[in-house]
């Protein structure tokens, strides 16, 4: 494990969220494993069942992007672990999103905004063409506390 | 990657759910990474923020076990991928659980039952003492459909 690996993985992780923010289907597709690994790719969007295989996953991004007018991610608590050809990134996705179905009304910014917090596990595989996303698992954080642990954990 | 690796990983994955069903804190502790890997362990219980480190994770199991009178898991859609010293298991946790806070009222079985579906990603590390859980990420499946994809995906 080198610091170069960690930097490369974190760069691809950042690209993943940039692709989501720009709803760029082609960039998103380029970030995911393909070829022999395509079948074993897996993805859980918050509240969804797990999708298996590159084809189902890319269909889900098409649906999500078609229904996204504005979304912005601020990542916190990013951790990166590399073991051989596998890297695991965990982070908190702090999400700001447009609540209305209309876009472009106000060029200075989105209208009604919503937000939320998602706990994310992103697993990458080292391939001939660089690190590629192999698994994405995002889940809604329903706690209201800012702490990482439930209140009873803090005496 | 050998079939022996896959069988060993799936055995530890089954032990994880057996430890949960029997609320066996010591068995659960033995299944998780320790030593040099303890700090990088991570765990997301459904709806929770991510916990980092063996200590915080084991505290969470103590709290969960103290509040669990009856829980049973039926796993479906189990997939196992091994790459070097890392293994990724995904599965659906079909959960049957006691809704009341009281136990032992009826020795023939639990009283009021609830249930739900959780999408799970379990990442294991190969260690000197066998495969150990490194990351557990469970998230509530809010869809009512039995399909793995949203309705609009099925023309």
């Amino acid at each position: 494990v080198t610091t170069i690996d960690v930097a490369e993985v974190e760069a691809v992780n950042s690209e993943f969220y940039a692709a989501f923010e720009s709803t760029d289907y082609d960039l998103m597709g380029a970030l995911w494993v393909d070829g022999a690994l395509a079948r074993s790719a897996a993805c859980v969007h918050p509240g969804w069942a797990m999708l298996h295989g590159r084809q189902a996953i890319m269909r889900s991004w098409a649906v999500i992007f078609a229904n996204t007018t504005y979304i912005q991610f601020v990542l916190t608590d990013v951790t990166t672990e590399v073991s051989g050809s596998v890297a695991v990134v965990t982070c908190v996705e702090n999400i700001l999103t447009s609540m209305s179905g209309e876009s472009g009304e106000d060029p200075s910014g989105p209208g009604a905004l919503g937000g939320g917090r998602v706990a994310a596990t992103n697993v990458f595989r080292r391939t001939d063409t660089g690190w590629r996303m192999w698994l994405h698992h995002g889940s809604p954080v329903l706690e209201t506390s800012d702490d990482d642990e439930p209140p009873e954990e803090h005496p």
Side-chain angles (χ1 to χ4, degrees), chain A:
Chain A
V1 178
T2 67
T3 50
I4 292 175
D5 282 328
V6 170
E8 285 179 353
V9 167
E10 293 188 347
V12 177
N13 192 65
S14 295
E15 277 185 75
F16 168 74
Y17 290 102
F20 199 155
E21 286 182 339
S22 58
T23 63
D24 186 328
Y25 181 87
D26 292 335
L27 177 55
M28 182 58 81
L31 293 172
W32 281 80
V33 292
D34 206 343
L37 290 171
R39 192 192 52 78
S40 61
C43 182
V44 180
H45 301 295
W48 291 38
M50 188 172 285
L51 304 173
H52 292 279
R54 182 182 163 88
Q55 198 176 359
I57 293 167
M58 290 310 300
R59 275 203 302 268
S60 75
W61 288 118
V63 171
I64 289 170
F65 288 174
N67 290 285
T68 300
T69 55
Y70 177 83
I71 192 162
Q72 186 184 329
F73 293 90
V74 175
L75 304 185
T76 51
D77 297 329
V78 180
T79 75
T80 305
E81 299 287 335
V82 179
S83 172
S85 295
V86 180
V88 178
V89 175
T90 68
C91 58
V92 178
E93 304 171 359
N94 301 277
I95 300 174
L96 193 65
T97 185
S98 165
M99 299 298 279
S100 85
E102 298 165 10
S103 64
E105 287 180 348
D106 176 4
S108 69
L113 291 173
R117 215 154 50 111
V118 166
T121 299
N122 298 326
V123 184
F124 299 86
R125 281 289 289 263
R126 192 199 305 268
T127 74
D128 293 341
T129 53
W131 291 93
R132 293 289 174 265
M133 185 167 270
W134 192 30
L135 180 145
H136 168 68
H137 193 151
S139 63
V141 177
L142 308 176
E143 298 173 77
T144 52
S145 164
D146 282 334
D147 293 330
D148 274 355
E149 300 178 38
E152 57 263 57
E153 293 297 306
H154 298 288

